[in-house]
């Protein structure tokens, strides 16, 4: 199985940039297609798709969210961070079954 | 807009089974694969498996192969997750999710509590 590693917690100040990383145990890219996706989950809610295929903004998601990366290393950036962004963020790969998730990064305010 | 409506919370006895439903509106269920995801209290997300409602083919994560069964009914636009031989380890919220860009749409989740 492909293991996705995320740092458990990230603390940032409001208005600053948050950079959340995700490292895969093997490449999740096929040719130029990067099969990594990012989700936001607030307590008591279902996850919400933010970024698909590494860098594509999902419908209705503000442009202060962006994604980058390829191969095994991926990043979700939130700039600037707002109070409403306090949540857990998960990366997830669809390169191969099982479609694993990272363990999540909780974004906290400094 | 696609919406996924899941069945209500369940309190079930150890050793029994439970069948959860996920009804699709706003599109036909055969448009995309339907996936199910498990989340234990305070924990992360775990992919259970997926079904292709067009031909009923399924794929499961290894640890759920003898635990979960996915089915779909195209006439009612509904997918189902059956969990068998329930233990306390199965106490969790279960989500259905689907979409063309991977997991675009999510159900609200169903809390399953396994307790005697």
């Amino acid at each position: 199985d492909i293991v996705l590693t995320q740092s458990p917690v990230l603390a940032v100040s409001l208005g600053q940039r948050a950079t959340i990383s995700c490292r895969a145990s093997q490449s999740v890219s096929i040719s130029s297609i990067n099969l990594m996706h990012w989700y936001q989950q607030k307590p008591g809610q279902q996850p919400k798709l933010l970024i698909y295929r590494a860098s594509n903004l999902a419908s209705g998601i503000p442009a202060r969210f962006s994604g980058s990366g390829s191969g095994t290393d991926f990043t979700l950036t939130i700039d600037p961070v707002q109070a409403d962004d306090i949540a857990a963020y998960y990366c997830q790969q669809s390169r191969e079954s099982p479609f694993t998730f990272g363990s999540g990064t909780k974004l906290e305010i400094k | 807009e696609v919406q996924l409506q899941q069945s209500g919370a369940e309190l079930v006895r150890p050793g029994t089974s439970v069948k959860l439903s996920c009804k699709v509106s706003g599109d036909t269920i055969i448009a995309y694969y339907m996936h199910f995801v498990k989340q234990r209290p305070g924990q992360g997300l775990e992919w259970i498996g997926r079904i292709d409602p067009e031909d009923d083919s399924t794929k499961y994560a290894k640890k759920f192969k003898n635990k979960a069964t996915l089915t779909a009914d195209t006439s009612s636009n509904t997918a189902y997750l059956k969990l068998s031989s329930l233990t306390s380890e199965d106490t969790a919220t279960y989500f259905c999710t689907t979409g063309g860009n991977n997991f675009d749409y999510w159900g609200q989740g169903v809390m399953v509590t396994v307790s005697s």
Side-chain angles (χ1 to χ4, degrees):
Chain A
D1 297 1
I2 297 177
V3 176
L4 303 180
T5 300
Q6 297 182 246
S7 298
V9 177
L10 178 65
V12 298
S13 302
L14 290 176
Q16 298 303 301
R17 174 185 299 173
T19 302
I20 298 172
S21 64
C22 177
R23 174 163 286 176
S25 59
Q26 62 191 77
S27 175
V28 299
S29 303
I30 302 177
S31 299
S32 60
I33 302 173
N34 302 300
L35 295 168
M36 183 67 79
H37 320 278
W38 290 94
Y39 302 86
Q40 177 194 66
Q41 188 181 31
K42 296 180 179 179
Q45 295 186 16
Q46 66 269 57
K48 179 194 296 186
L49 178 66
L50 298 175
I51 301 287
Y52 62 95
R53 292 197 294 278
S55 59
N56 298 279
L57 198 63
S59 176
I61 303 303
R64 51 201 183 75
F65 291 89
S66 63
S68 63
S70 65
T72 60
D73 291 296
F74 296 86
T75 300
L76 171 71
T77 300
I78 311 170
D79 189 10
V81 168
Q82 297 183 359
D84 187 51
D85 300 333
I86 302 310
Y89 292 85
Y90 295 91
C91 56
Q92 178 253 329
Q93 64 82 20
S94 59
R95 171 62 179 83
E96 64 179 43
S97 176
F99 291 172
T100 45
F101 290 87
S103 53
T105 297
K106 281 191 180 167
L107 184 64
E108 296 179 349
I109 299 300
K110 258 186 208 174
Chain B
E1 183 190 339
V2 174
Q3 293 190 331
L4 306 181
Q5 182 64 41
Q6 297 188 245
S7 45
E10 300 270 4
L11 172 60
V12 293
R13 299 287 182 251
T16 64
S17 300
V18 68
K19 192 172 184 179
L20 313 177
S21 66
C22 173
K23 184 171 177 59
V24 179
S25 61
D27 204 345
T28 172
I29 195 173
I30 65 171
Y32 310 112
Y33 291 174
M34 182 67 76
H35 301 253
F36 283 82
V37 173
K38 176 183 180 181
Q39 186 170 39
R40 298 191 68 191
Q43 303 300 309
L45 303 167
E46 198 172 10
W47 184 78
I48 295 171
R50 65 87 176 149
I51 183 167
D52 180 353
E54 191 159 26
D55 63 9
D56 289 330
S57 63
T58 53
K59 259 193 180 171
Y60 299 93
K62 213 173 294 184
K63 70 177 286 188
F64 291 103
K65 268 207 166 77
N66 296 319
K67 171 63 64 178
T69 304
L70 299 179
T71 57
D73 178 359
T74 54
S75 67
S76 63
N77 241 26
T78 303
Y80 299 92
L81 166 64
K82 181 180 177 182
L83 301 166
S84 58
S85 303
L86 292 164
T87 72
S88 59
E89 298 290 303
D90 300 313
T91 292
T93 297
Y94 294 85
F95 297 99
C96 56
T97 177
T98 190
N101 293 321
N102 210 52
F103 300 162
D104 303 68
Y105 311 108
W106 291 74
Q108 80 276 23
V110 181
M111 179 69 200
V112 174
T113 303
V114 182
S115 174
S116 54

